[in-house]
Amino acid sequence: MKKTKSTTESEVVMTEVVYPNDANPMGMLQGGRLVQWMDTASAVCAQTHAGRIAVTALLDKVVFKSPARVGDIITINAKLVAAFSTSMEVCVQAWARKVISGDKHPVCEAYFTFVALDGNAKPASVPKLKLKTAEEQVLFEQAESRKLQRSKG
Ligand SMILES: CC(C)(COP(=O)(O)OP(=O)(O)OC[C@H]1O[C@@H](n2cnc3c(N)ncnc32)[C@H](O)[C@@H]1OP(=O)(O)O)[C@@H](O)C(=O)NCCC(=O)NCCS
C-alpha cells in the first residue's frame, strides 16, 4: 500500500439523470435519492484512497441549496479533504444542469466520513493525504477541527 496519496488519485466525478421515479409529485429530485448518489460517489473516493473497503460513519453539514428537477443532469464531485488514522473525510458537491440551455446551479454539498476496514471488519490504517495547494491545506485544517469538535462530544 502507498504511504501517501494526493487528492487527484481518488477524486470521483459521477453523472446521473433525474427521472420521474427519483422525484416528488412536483417533479423535484428527492433529497434521499441525491444523498444515495452522493454516498456512492464518496464511498468510491474513500475506498480508492484507502485501497480497502470503507463504511460510511457520518454525514455532516448536508445542505440542500436549490432543487433539481426531472430531466436535469446531475454531476457529483467527491474529493478527499482529510485522511486520519483509519477515517477519511470526503467533500461531496452536486450540481444540476439543464440539457437545452446548459444552465448549471449548485444543488447540495456535504461532508461524509468513512472508516476503512480490514478483512475482519475492524478499522484499518489508511494512506496519508498529500496536500498540494493552499486550498487543500485549509480544507484539511477545517476537517481536523470538525473531528476535534466531535471527539469533545
Ligand atoms: C464506523 C465503525 C467501523 C467505527 O468502528 P469503531 O470500532 O467504533 O471505531 P473506533 O472507535 O476504533 O474509531 C475508528 C475511527 O472511526 C472514527 N469514527 C468512529 N465513529 C465515527 C463517527 N460516528 N463519526 C465520525 N468518525 C467516526 C474514529 O474517529 C476513528 O477515526 P481515526 O482512526 O481516523 O482517528 C463502526 O461504528 C461501524 O461499523 N458503524 C456502522 C457503519 C455502517 O454500517 N455504515 C453504513 C453502511 S456502509
Side-chain angles (χ1 to χ4, degrees):
M1 193 205 300
K2 273 175 137 180
K3 285 190 174 161
T4 310
K5 287 181 173 179
S6 63
T7 58
T8 49
E9 290 178 77
S10 56
E11 188 168 0
V12 169
V13 178
M14 187 173 118
T15 304
E16 295 283 348
V17 178
V18 183
Y19 289 107
N21 196 37
D22 304 315
N24 69 15
M26 294 181 76
M28 296 167 168
L29 172 61
Q30 294 178 41
R33 185 61 52 92
L34 179 57
V35 170
Q36 180 192 339
W37 293 339
M38 292 168 76
D39 186 45
T40 299
S42 53
V44 172
C45 174
Q47 293 181 142
T48 302
H49 181 83
R52 297 179 184 275
I53 298 296
V55 287
T56 316
L58 180 76
L59 273 67
D60 201 8
K61 295 188 171 293
V62 184
V63 182
F64 293 98
K65 298 181 172 181
S66 57
R69 296 182 183 277
V70 170
D72 288 353
I73 311 294
I74 305 296
T75 303
I76 296 168
N77 179 274
K79 192 171 174 182
L80 211 81
V81 290
F84 301 108
S85 300
T86 65
S87 66
M88 299 156 282
E89 193 180 86
V90 181
C91 175
V92 199
Q93 295 171 310
W95 292 267
R97 178 167 55 85
K98 300 286 175 206
V99 174
I100 295 172
S101 69
D103 288 349
K104 198 176 168 187
H105 65 272
V107 174
C108 186
E109 181 176 294
Y111 291 87
F112 285 62
T113 296
F114 289 84
V115 178
L117 302 180
D118 65 16
N120 296 314
K122 299 289 179 206
S125 62
V126 299
K128 291 196 181 317
L129 185 62
K130 194 187 300 174
L131 302 170
K132 289 186 167 174
T133 66
E135 189 193 357
E136 287 179 357
Q137 182 67 39
V138 169
L139 290 170
F140 174 78
E141 285 166 13
Q142 290 171 348
E144 229 177 7
S145 158
R146 281 189 287 273
K147 183 168 162 58
L148 186 65
Q149 282 303 116
R150 284 194 296 270
S151 70
K152 288 179 180 168

